[in-house]
Amino acid sequence: MSTQPAPATPVVTMRAARIHDYGAPDVIADDVVPVPHPVPGEVLIRVAATSFNPSEAALRSGALRHVLPLPLPYTLGWDVAGIVTEVGPGVTMFGPGDRVIARLDTGGAAAEYVAAAADLLAPAPAGLPLTDAAAIPVAALTAWQAVHEHAEVSPGQRVLINGAGGGVGGFAVQLAKRAGARVLATASARSAAAIRELGADRTIDYTAQPLPADLDAVINLAALTPGAASALTPLIRPGGRLVSIATPIPAPDAVHFVTRNDAAQLARISALVGSKHLRVDIAESRPLRDLPEIHRRSEAGLTRGKIILHP
């Protein structure tokens, strides 16, 4: 009788959080779909976790349909952390067993497996649980580009991070502090302590305290009314920088930008996390089946920081 172990049965189907139409959080379905196969230039990743980004709620609702129309049905999930299980033709920089992270511009990470272009991947941080690494790509890339490319934060500057309680804010506070700035941050009561732990020199309750003036830079991460957006302009000293990833600021020199994917930048960020020079702040870790609830809570303003979702 043979003592050889039986070959593993190939996984042919998986669960995926998909939307078949735009609408309320209840449109998110727990579907059973075929496991994708990597084409040339791609790898197959067994997903350890994805993470929730508030902009995905706007995507799901249809609010972004004219900017980012979706091929329906659509699998959610822009952030991925996982293990490469298979590589497509032409892929040499990663192999089976590698721990990787990526921002997936076409989504797909809210599933058990996802096929991803190899040139989007970066090594996952050493020493960090792989599930936690899913909090990094979208939020940290956005913060990096806001702080270093657009605000050009430098030592000795006074920088305000407006709306610092979210996932981008946590990274922006740390990166601005690492750049040598004095970091002021607006945050709700439920987020203030966490933001201080990440390095903010001062947290401001925007509902009860005036915002500081004579700033070298303001990085706005919050959705604002037109009046509130206009009120940020007088806070900047002459020659200062006003940057927003959310509501555009009506000022001639204000910068409103959309984050670009950058695997080299993501690898630098991952190395900083691995060397413990940058912290990953996880607010919650939930099973993927809870994704509709997370969307509902986010739209009600009841979430903070990064929320990890594991298959």
Side-chain angles (χ1 to χ4, degrees), residues 78-113:
W78 288 330
D79 285 312
V80 67
I83 296 175
V84 175
T85 61
E86 183 182 348
V87 300
V91 175
T92 59
M93 65 284 284
F94 294 100
D98 286 347
R99 301 166 76 254
V100 295
I101 59 174
R103 166 184 146 170
L104 306 181
D105 293 331
T106 56
E112 293 178 287
Y113 290 85

Side-chain angles (χ1 to χ4, degrees), residues 285-304:
S285 181
R286 303 286 291 273
L288 188 57
R289 64 176 177 270
D290 291 347
L291 187 56
E293 177 197 340
I294 300 302
H295 276 239
R296 281 191 289 270
R297 287 175 49 209
S298 175
E299 291 175 328
L302 299 177
T303 58
R304 83 143 194 96

Side-chain angles (χ1 to χ4, degrees), residues 109-139:
E112 293 178 287
Y113 290 85
V114 66
D119 60 7
L120 298 180
L121 306 180
L128 184 75
L130 192 53
T131 51
D132 289 5
I136 296 171
V138 170

Side-chain angles (χ1 to χ4, degrees), residues 3-42:
T3 59
Q4 293 295 319
T9 303
V11 179
V12 295
T13 62
M14 65 177 186
R15 307 198 81 87
R18 302 200 300 173
I19 63 171
H20 295 257
D21 202 355
Y22 298 111
D26 291 343
V27 302
I28 301 173
D30 179 16
D31 289 347
V32 176
V33 299
V35 172
H37 294 286
V39 300
E42 288 187 339

Side-chain angles (χ1 to χ4, degrees), residues 157-226:
Q157 290 187 333
R158 296 175 73 244
V159 177
L160 174 68
I161 312 291
N162 189 49
V168 177
F171 286 113
V173 165
Q174 294 181 79
L175 291 170
K177 189 67 177 176
R178 277 185 53 80
R182 174 171 171 76
V183 179
L184 316 174
T186 66
S188 66
R190 69 175 178 274
S191 303
I195 294 303
R196 285 193 294 271
E197 287 180 8
L198 291 174
D201 295 287
R202 177 186 166 198
T203 55
I204 301 160
D205 179 355
Y206 55 86
T207 65
Q209 298 172 272
L211 296 178
D214 196 32
L215 298 165
D216 296 287
V218 170
I219 298 175
N220 176 59
L221 311 176
L224 303 172
T225 64

